[in-house]
Amino acid sequence: MTIDITASSRTGCVRTNNEDMLLIGELLLRNGKMSSRVATSGSDRYLLALADGMGGHSCGEVASADTLSNLRFFFNDMPAGLKPGGFEEAICGWLKSINNIACRDMGTTLVALAYYGGLFFWMNCGDSRLYRLHDGGLTQLTKDHSLNNLMGVAKHSNLITNCIGGGCKTSYIDIVECTDQVMPGDTMMICSDGLTDMISDDEIRGILSDGFDADALCQAAEDAGGRDNISVIVARMSE
């Protein structure tokens, strides 16, 4: 599989600082954009991730950066050959460690798409999202850990029920092996709620269908008002 990647992170039109952080392989990105191409045959692992620091807690921008820096080191240092259950156990152990030590007084969400040992996994803690564009249809793969979702309300709420740090003593992370949902021709999109609160899924689908430009998605969110930080990673899969 070849993965063509675009990524973009912006402060938006209202906030004065950007608490989002992106991880693309080895690169941490905030307030910028980039593109790259990787082949899964070149390595046994590759990671795309987003952390949205929580403004209601001290140093949200530090929490997002520290979380992704720590995850990058941990993921690259994981032993090869773990089965899916072993992968999940390792990531859950990492979450417990960083939640109890590194992020006690700070808060952040985390969403990621990981390639490891020939398999794809998605991971989610909070309300940042992973979408899949397949045959023209856009589907949200992750579930928001939010009060509205818990109550069965479709509209997004900023009241989240799960995060890393931020005083959350019961943090958990959803981990799903999703290899059968990552097919040539598919586009995977990771985003913060600064995108999805500003433009609809139909608008996102239209922009993704016209290309895979993460910066165009960020621009559309800014054009709609840009009330929050906006960060997007788009990954186009091909053989």
Side-chain angles (χ1 to χ4, degrees), residues 9-11 16 18 22 57 63 65 75 83 85 114 119 132 164 175 177 194 218 226 228:
S9 177
R10 300 188 183 191
T11 302
T16 58
N18 190 351
L22 299 177
H57 297 272
F75 181 75
K83 301 298 184 183
L119 301 174
R132 178 196 188 199
I164 296 174
I175 305 172
E177 193 261 294
C218 290
D228 199 353

Side-chain angles (χ1 to χ4, degrees), residues 43-45 74-84 86-87 90 115-118:
S43 173
D44 73 331
R45 65 193 69 189
F74 181 87
F75 181 75
N76 288 336
D77 203 44
M78 286 173 59
L82 293 177
K83 301 298 184 183
F87 179 89
Y115 174 77
Y116 171 85

Side-chain angles (χ1 to χ4, degrees), residues 83-85 87-88 113-114 116-123 141 174-182:
K83 301 298 184 183
F87 179 89
E88 180 176 350
L113 179 67
Y116 171 85
L119 301 174
F120 284 94
F121 299 82
W122 64 253
M123 304 178 280
L141 298 184
D174 294 335
I175 305 172
V176 175
E177 193 261 294
C178 60
T179 308
D180 60 349
Q181 293 181 304
V182 183

Side-chain angles (χ1 to χ4, degrees), residues 196-218:
T196 52
D197 282 351
M198 299 310 304
I199 62 175
S200 68
D201 284 4
D202 280 344
E203 291 173 291
I204 292 170
R205 180 182 56 79
I207 295 170
L208 288 176
S209 297
D210 287 340
F212 55 97
D213 188 354
D215 202 49
L217 289 161
C218 290

Side-chain angles (χ1 to χ4, degrees), residues 18-29:
N18 190 351
E19 295 180 313
D20 291 355
M21 181 66 83
L22 299 177
L23 175 63
I24 305 97
E26 296 294 326
L27 175 67
L28 289 168
L29 180 68

